[in-house]
Amino acid sequence: MDVSKKIVGQKIQKIIYSEVNNHKGEFYFDGFDTFDFAINIQMQNDFWWHLAWKDDDFFEFGKGLYKKNSHLSLDIIKSWEANNRWIDVLNSSIIDFKISHIDKAKLIPSLIEISFENGKKIKILIAEELNADNSIPFGLKYDFSGRIYVFHNLDILKEIEV
């Protein structure tokens, strides 16, 4: 699916994070955010795209707003607007959008890289759960049942050798 035509050249209007398993936990950390269900992003042209834990039990990338998994009731899913976490890039157009996949059919994404005209970059990846002390696991690797990580500070990725 080539959605980059609807994304590149546009600005982000709204970001929604969703969590299932940890409603009382922390989602924002120094330089990154993490949650386990979905990220939904609305572009300035009203085009929505998402990275979400889907009905087929793995993370998928898709068009549209993804709010509900058929295996879960809506009251289990906690969602909140996260625009304040993306403040450095909200008024900047996207100049590049790349998706890496773990499978040859390109159905299961592992990494999304977004570059903005102001020189900022954000990486979104699927990886294992945080450590017990809420630190990033060393040697961060893809995990089917993992979490979504949004890295605002890309130096963190260099430190943990992804």
Side-chain angles (χ1 to χ4, degrees):
M1 161 190 343
D2 184 18
V3 299
S4 62
K5 292 177 184 173
K6 300 263 187 185
I7 296 171
V8 172
Q10 294 291 316
K11 295 178 183 177
I12 293 173
Q13 184 173 323
K14 184 186 287 187
I15 300 104
I16 299 173
Y17 291 168
S18 297
E19 174 78 19
V20 172
N21 292 319
N22 191 7
H23 286 189
K24 295 181 181 176
E26 292 185 51
F27 309 103
Y28 303 144
F29 298 88
D30 188 18
F32 73 98
D33 309 331
T34 185
F35 43 93
D36 68 6
F37 183 67
I39 180 172
N40 285 284
I41 297 182
Q42 181 183 25
M43 305 307 297
Q44 205 170 34
N45 60 1
D46 289 327
F47 177 77
W48 282 91
W49 60 274
H50 62 267
L51 177 64
W53 183 257
K54 294 283 188 87
D55 299 332
D56 295 327
D57 290 334
F58 54 85
F59 286 97
E60 292 181 62
F61 173 82
K63 298 178 195 177
L65 178 64
Y66 189 83
K67 297 192 294 188
K68 183 179 179 311
N69 180 303
S70 66
H71 305 299
L72 303 168
S73 64
L74 276 177
D75 61 336
I76 292 175
I77 302 167
K78 176 185 177 183
S79 295
W80 63 97
E81 201 170 300
N83 284 14
N84 60 330
R85 294 294 290 173
W86 291 60
I87 201 74
D88 290 344
V89 297
L90 282 182
N91 292 315
S92 186
S93 295
I94 293 174
I95 59 170
D96 196 23
F97 183 86
K98 296 178 186 167
I99 302 175
S100 301
H101 297 83
I102 63 162
D103 61 326
K104 289 182 182 178
K106 296 187 175 184
L107 297 174
I108 305 172
S110 59
L111 174 67
I112 295 174
E113 300 175 84
I114 309 170
S115 299
F116 296 86
E117 69 180 345
N118 67 358
K120 303 278 185 185
K121 291 184 180 186
I122 289 182
K123 291 191 180 189
I124 304 169
L125 60 98
I126 308 298
E128 47 198 315
E129 299 280 339
L130 289 173
N131 290 320
D133 64 354
N134 283 338
S135 66
I136 300 170
F138 180 74
L140 200 56
K141 295 183 178 111
Y142 181 87
D143 184 356
F144 273 100
S145 61
R147 298 183 64 79
I148 296 172
Y149 287 84
V150 176
F151 284 93
H152 305 280
N153 178 355
L154 300 185
D155 289 336
I156 294 171
L157 292 172
K158 294 173 193 164
E159 293 169 12
I160 58 172
E161 300 176 20
V162 172

